[in-house]
Amino acid sequence: MTALARPEQAEVEASVEQLLHVGEDDYTVARMSSDDAGAFVAAGRALGGVQPGERLLLSGEWGEHPRYGGRLQVKGCERVAPSTVRAITLYLGSGLIRGVGPRLAHAIVSHFGEQTLKVIDAEPERLREVVNIGAIRQAQIVEAWAEQKSVAELMVALQGFGVSPLLATKIYQSYGHDALRVLTTDPYQLVGRVRGIAFHTADRIALRSGVPASSGQRIEAAVVDRLEAAAAGGGHCFLALRALVAQVSVLVEQDEEPIRRAIDALHAERRVVVEASMTDASQAVVYGKQEHSREVALAAQLARLFQARSTLRLRPFAEDQRLHEDQRAAVNLVLTSTVSVLTGGPGCGKSHTVAAIAATVRAMGGRVTLAAPTGKAAKRLSELTGLPAMTVHRMLAQQPDLADGMLFQEVPAEADLIVVDEASMLDLQLATRLTAAIPSGSHLLLVGDSDQLPSIGPGRVLADVLSVVEIPRIRLTHVFRQAQDSGIVQAAHRIRGGELPFLPGGGGFWFEELDDPAAVAERVIHLATEAIPRKQGIRPEQVQVLCPMRKGATGTIELGRTLQDRLNPPGDDVDEHWYGSTVFRVGDRVMSIRNNYDKGIFNGEIATVTGINPRDRLTELLTDDAHKVEYAFDELDELTHAYAISVHRSQGSEYPFVVAPIVAESGGIMLRRRLLYTLITRAKTWVVLVGQREALELAVRRLGDRRNTALPHRLTILTNS
C-alpha cells in the first residue's frame, strides 16, 4: 500500500525496525515495517519505551513528513505477540531476548515456524531440537523470555499511571517476579530503591491505586524523599526540622502535625535521626540514616588519626632551597602532623610541593601513597609529580594495577604518608571509607583548592576540615612566574576575589559575547568541532565542552546530542542502541557517573564505546586506562555521554581546550562563583566562554549555597577531648 493510498485514520500492526529519535518527554520516532502498510515511520509519545523487534498495534493519523515521507502520527500503541514467521524472526533476533541473535533466531524460527513463541512458552525443552542449543543455552533463553514477559506486564500496568515504560525494566531488576505485586500494593517501596523513581512518581501510582492522601505510609515516604533530595541535589547532610516539615507539607498537602508524627515514627524505626542542632540546641535537625552514621564516623576517624602518635621516624633532611618559603613550610608541616591540609589556587605550586613532600618522606625511608578521587585526577597527579598515583577507590579495594595486572606489594592505605589530591571532590561516603582504612600513626595530607565546587555527593569535607582550627593547614599564595602570564590563572584569581576577569581576555582566556541562547549554543558547537581544531591543528576530541546547566539550549543534554550527531553521526554501518532518550553508538565517548566495584569502574572515568552486542544485550567499552569492560543494556543509566558534561563532573580533570556557554537561562540558577572558577581552571591551554556579559557578572557576584553539615562541630569537640 503506497503512502497516498493510506486512509487518514488508520490502525496498523507493525514491527519496530529502528529507533530514529527518542526525546526526554518520550516522544519517539521509529522506522516500522508492516505486511499491509509496508515500510513507514511512526512518531508520538505513545511509542515511548518501544524497542526494535517489538510488534505493535498502532492507531493514529497518516501524514507526510519532508524527511521521512509517509508518517503515522501515533495516538495509541499496544504491544502484541508477533504471529508471522518474519515478525517472529525479527522479534527474537532483535536483542530483546538475551542470548538470541539474528542467526540463532533464524534457526529457531526455521525449525518451529509460526509456533515458535508457543514452543518457548509452553514446551521450552523442545528448543534443544535446534542445532547449537544445549541445556545451558536453553535455560538462558527461557529465563530471558520470562523476564521479557514480566517486564511487558509491568509496562501494561504502568500505562495507566503515566509512568515511562523504561522504568518497568528498572523495577523488574530490583524486585524480579515480585515487581507487579510491589507496584500495586506498596509503590512507596520504589522510592530510593529504583533509580529514576522519586516520590512524585510512586505517589501518583499509590493515589490512583486508592491509598489515602493522609496515609502515614505516604507521609513517611515523603519525608525520606525530601531528605534524599536534599542530599543528592544540594549536598546536605541534614535538614532543619522546621524546613523539612514545611517541605513535606507542600509535597503532600497535609498539616504539620501528622508530618511530625511520621518523623517521630521514622526516628523510632531508626530510618532517620533527629537530634539537637550543634549550633543551636533549641532547634532540631533531621538526618537520613546513612548521612548521620557517616558524618559521625568520619569525625571519629579524623580525630583518631589527628591524635595518634606518628610512626614516621624523622631524620635530618636537607631542605630544598628551590622551593618557595611557604612550600618549605608545607613540607615541615606534613612531616610533623598526622592530619594536615595543603590548599591554594592555580599556579601556586601545589603539585610541585606534593612531589617535594613525597620525595622527602621516601628519602627518610618512608612509604608514600598518592591518590585522587577520580581516575583522571590520579593520572594528572602522576603526570605533575612524576610519581605513581591511583584512585582512592582502587587504593581501598587494593585492586590490580591496570598497567601491569599485579597486586600491590604493600597495602596502599597503610603507607607512612597518604596524599589525597583534589580533596574538594571527597564526599562524605568516600572520605569515611578512606579514613577508616588508614591505620593510626600514618600521616594523611588532603590537597585541594578550597575555592572549587564541593563534591557531587553530600558533604563538603575539605571545607569542613579547613574550618576546624585545630587541624594544621597551609595555603600557598605565591603565583610562580611561569603561571603569571597565563590568562587562565589571572582570570581564576580575579574570579576568586570577586572581580570580573579582564575582557575579552588573552593568554589562554577569552570571552565572546552573544546574547541569544540558541546562537550561543551554535557558536559553542562550531568552536568545539571546527574552529578550534582547525586553528590549533588538533582533533575535536581534545576540546571539551563544559556546561553550567543540564537543560535548555545551552545545557549538557541538547549540546551533547548535537555534538554527538556532528562528531559520531548515525549510519547504516554504525551499531547503536537506544536507552530511554539516549542513544549509544560505537565510537561514542562516555563517562561513568556511578561507582561500580564489580567492574572496577568509578565515577568520572572516561571510556570509548567499542561494541554493541544485541544478542547478549551488552555494550563494550575501553577505558582511557586501556581497561575493557561490559555494561548490560539495562545498566546504561550508569553512563552518560562525555561530549558536553557538567562543570561538577569535570572536577579533577584537565583538558587542553575548554569551551563553555555562559547564559542566564532559567534565571541562571547554577551560575555561582565557585562553578565559574572551577570551570576556568579545568583548561590547560585555552578556555573560551561564549555568552552574556550579565550572566558572567552574575556568576562572579553570586556566592554558592551553604551545605548543611555538622562535621566541623563534631571534629572540633573530638580533637579537643
Side-chain angles (χ1 to χ4, degrees):
M1 183 186 295
T2 64
L4 293 176
R6 293 167 177 156
E8 185 175 334
Q9 299 289 331
E11 185 173 274
V12 59
E13 185 175 314
S15 295
V16 182
E17 295 276 355
Q18 181 186 9
L19 297 179
L20 302 174
H21 169 80
V22 182
E24 286 280 302
D25 60 352
D26 283 340
Y27 188 88
T28 300
V29 181
R31 184 173 288 118
M32 311 292 295
S33 65
S34 167
D35 295 337
D36 297 326
F40 64 95
V41 168
R45 289 191 64 186
L47 291 172
V50 303
Q51 291 292 315
E54 287 190 307
R55 191 73 172 173
L56 308 174
L57 180 61
L58 304 176
S59 59
E61 297 179 359
W62 287 110
E64 288 291 317
H65 189 273
R67 179 177 177 184
Y68 299 120
R71 185 172 80 163
L72 181 68
Q73 191 63 38
V74 178
K75 304 298 182 183
C77 171
E78 180 183 343
R79 289 168 172 82
V80 296
S83 55
T84 67
V85 167
R86 182 182 181 280
I88 294 171
T89 304
L90 177 63
Y91 175 72
L92 287 181
S94 66
L96 281 170
I97 309 301
R98 186 182 288 107
V100 180
R103 191 171 295 177
L104 186 56
H106 178 75
I108 294 172
V109 179
S110 294
H111 188 78
F112 295 113
E114 294 180 354
Q115 301 301 309
T116 296
L117 299 185
K118 292 181 180 178
V119 169
I120 297 175
D121 202 34
E123 302 175 273
E125 67 279 356
R126 290 190 61 197
L127 285 170
R128 278 186 266 178
E129 297 174 13
V130 180
V131 177
N132 293 327
I133 295 184
I136 295 177
R137 177 61 63 86
Q138 178 214 330
Q140 291 174 338
I141 295 173
V142 170
E143 181 182 359
W145 173 257
E147 177 181 330
Q148 184 63 28
K149 286 182 64 179
S150 296
V151 171
E153 289 177 3
L154 280 175
M155 286 183 177
V156 172
L158 287 168
Q159 283 179 350
F161 301 115
V163 178
S164 167
L166 181 62
L167 291 177
T169 302
K170 295 183 180 180
I171 296 171
Y172 184 84
Q173 286 175 322
S174 296
Y175 294 96
H177 296 297
D178 204 32
L180 193 57
R181 184 196 63 78
V182 171
L183 182 69
T184 54
T185 61
D186 187 12
Y188 293 113
Q189 278 191 40
L190 306 175
V191 180
R193 182 167 174 179
V194 179
R195 286 196 295 266
I197 295 189
F199 173 80
H200 68 274
T201 302
D203 195 44
R204 182 164 64 246
I205 297 171
L207 292 176
R208 291 186 182 180
S209 299
V211 175
S214 59
S215 162
Q217 175 194 40
R218 177 178 185 245
I219 298 173
E220 288 179 10
V223 171
V224 172
D225 175 76
R226 289 300 84 199
L227 288 173
E228 290 179 347
H236 298 299
C237 296
F238 64 81
L239 287 177
L241 176 61
R242 286 181 178 176
L244 176 60
V245 170
Q247 288 184 27
V248 175
S249 179
V250 171
L251 188 63
V252 298
E253 298 180 330
Q254 298 292 312
D255 295 335
E256 290 190 1
E257 186 55 36
I259 297 171
R260 290 180 180 271
R261 287 199 303 269
I263 293 173
D264 289 340
L266 288 168
H267 177 67
E269 297 169 8
R270 298 184 179 180
R271 293 171 60 192
V272 305
V273 176
V274 183
E275 65 181 24
S277 167
M278 301 195 79
T279 57
D280 183 356
S282 66
Q283 301 296 321
V285 298
V286 186
Y287 283 81
K289 181 181 178 180
Q290 283 190 332
E291 282 68 40
H292 184 266
S293 63
R294 287 169 180 164
E295 187 178 87
V296 170
L298 177 57
Q301 299 295 352
L302 284 169
R304 171 182 61 82
L305 295 173
F306 172 75
Q307 294 168 342
R309 178 176 297 179
S310 172
T311 57
L312 185 63
R313 296 180 180 178
L314 292 178
R315 303 174 187 173
F317 66 95
E319 289 188 348
D320 188 343
Q321 296 304 312
R322 294 171 299 179
L323 298 176
H324 188 267
E325 59 180 330
D326 57 2
Q327 291 179 306
R328 291 197 296 272
V331 175
N332 283 285
L333 180 73
V334 173
L335 292 178
T336 56
S337 305
T338 49
V339 176
S340 56
V341 182
L342 173 64
T343 186
C348 293
K350 291 194 301 297
S351 297
H352 188 62
T353 305
V354 168
I357 292 169
T360 301
V361 172
R362 284 177 170 169
M364 296 167 59
R367 299 165 300 164
V368 178
T369 294
L370 302 185
T374 66
K376 275 211 166 186
K379 184 177 180 181
R380 182 166 171 249
L381 175 62
S382 182
E383 292 170 348
L384 292 171
T385 62
L387 300 170
M390 69 189 75
T391 64
V392 175
H393 300 93
R394 289 202 171 95
M395 182 187 84
L396 297 176
Q398 199 183 349
Q399 292 191 342
D401 188 305
L402 296 181
D404 56 20
M406 299 294 291
L407 281 171
F408 303 118
Q409 293 182 348
E410 298 171 336
V411 179
E414 294 182 0
D416 298 288
L417 170 65
I418 295 95
V419 180
V420 180
D421 195 19
E422 297 289 354
S424 61
M425 299 174 66
L426 287 175
D427 62 13
L428 200 58
Q429 179 185 17
L430 186 55
T432 303
R433 292 185 61 228
L434 167 70
T435 52
I438 301 174
S440 298
S442 293
H443 290 228
L444 171 64
L445 171 61
L446 300 178
V447 182
D449 189 341
S450 57
D451 293 305
Q452 289 191 23
L453 287 169
S455 58
I456 294 176
R460 45 166 204 158
V461 175
L462 180 63
D464 281 352
V465 174
L466 279 169
S467 68
V468 178
V469 296
E470 288 79 8
I471 302 295
R473 85 289 307 279
I474 191 164
R475 183 183 185 92
L476 304 179
T477 57
H478 176 73
V479 180
F480 288 87
R481 182 173 300 174
Q482 61 267 33
Q484 290 177 354
D485 296 332
S486 166
I488 295 172
V489 172
Q490 292 174 2
H493 282 280
R494 287 185 65 84
I495 290 168
R496 191 187 67 185
E499 298 180 283
L500 199 68
F502 296 118
L503 302 179
F509 170 83
W510 191 260
F511 176 70
E512 185 172 321
E513 188 168 0
L514 281 175
D515 187 60
D516 178 52
V520 170
E522 185 53 44
R523 181 59 177 165
V524 166
I525 291 165
H526 176 72
L527 286 168
T529 61
E530 298 181 39
I532 293 177
R534 182 173 61 247
K535 184 175 182 179
Q536 299 295 330
I538 61 171
R539 303 186 311 277
E541 291 78 12
Q542 294 176 269
V543 183
Q544 182 62 57
V545 174
L546 300 181
C547 304
M549 306 286 287
R550 180 174 177 268
K551 296 185 178 181
T554 59
T556 58
I557 296 173
E558 290 302 321
L559 280 178
R561 279 181 173 170
T562 306
L563 286 165
Q564 180 191 25
D565 285 342
R566 297 274 180 96
L567 298 174
N568 192 27
D572 292 338
D573 58 343
V574 179
D575 291 333
E576 65 179 35
H577 174 74
W578 283 87
Y579 182 84
S581 60
T582 302
V583 59
F584 291 90
R585 298 190 186 109
V586 171
D588 277 343
R589 295 281 285 167
V590 296
M591 172 186 283
S592 169
I593 57 174
R594 292 187 183 89
N595 297 326
N596 191 314
Y597 296 95
D598 293 334
K599 300 181 190 297
I601 297 295
F602 304 106
N603 195 344
E605 291 199 56
I606 301 290
T608 300
V609 177
T610 56
I612 303 287
N613 183 341
R615 190 194 73 179
D616 296 322
R617 298 184 61 78
L618 292 173
T619 304
E620 300 160 358
L621 308 179
L622 182 68
T623 72
D624 284 356
D625 292 329
H627 179 43
K628 294 181 179 179
V629 65
E630 294 178 334
Y631 278 80
F633 283 176
D634 52 21
E635 296 177 314
L636 290 175
D637 59 349
E638 296 186 17
L639 302 174
T640 187
H641 285 105
Y643 295 105
I645 63 176
S646 69
V647 179
H648 245 125
R649 297 207 178 278
S650 73
Q651 285 179 274
S653 299
E654 188 177 63
Y655 310 96
F657 300 89
V658 168
V659 182
I662 303 293
V663 299
E665 284 189 285
S666 304
I669 190 170
M670 296 301 294
L671 292 176
R672 297 286 192 276
R673 185 182 301 173
R674 288 183 187 274
L675 181 139
L676 182 61
Y677 177 81
T678 303
L679 188 163
I680 288 173
T681 55
R682 296 310 89 202
K684 185 176 182 179
T685 305
W686 269 96
V687 58
V688 181
L689 307 182
V690 182
Q692 305 156 344
R693 183 187 176 100
E694 58 267 30
L696 187 65
E697 293 172 345
L698 175 66
V700 171
R701 184 172 65 248
R702 187 188 282 166
L703 297 176
D705 297 325
R706 184 176 178 83
R707 293 186 169 189
N708 294 338
T709 165
L711 179 61
H713 307 287
R714 298 186 194 278
L715 191 51
T716 298
I717 292 171
L718 291 172
T719 53
N720 285 313
S721 61

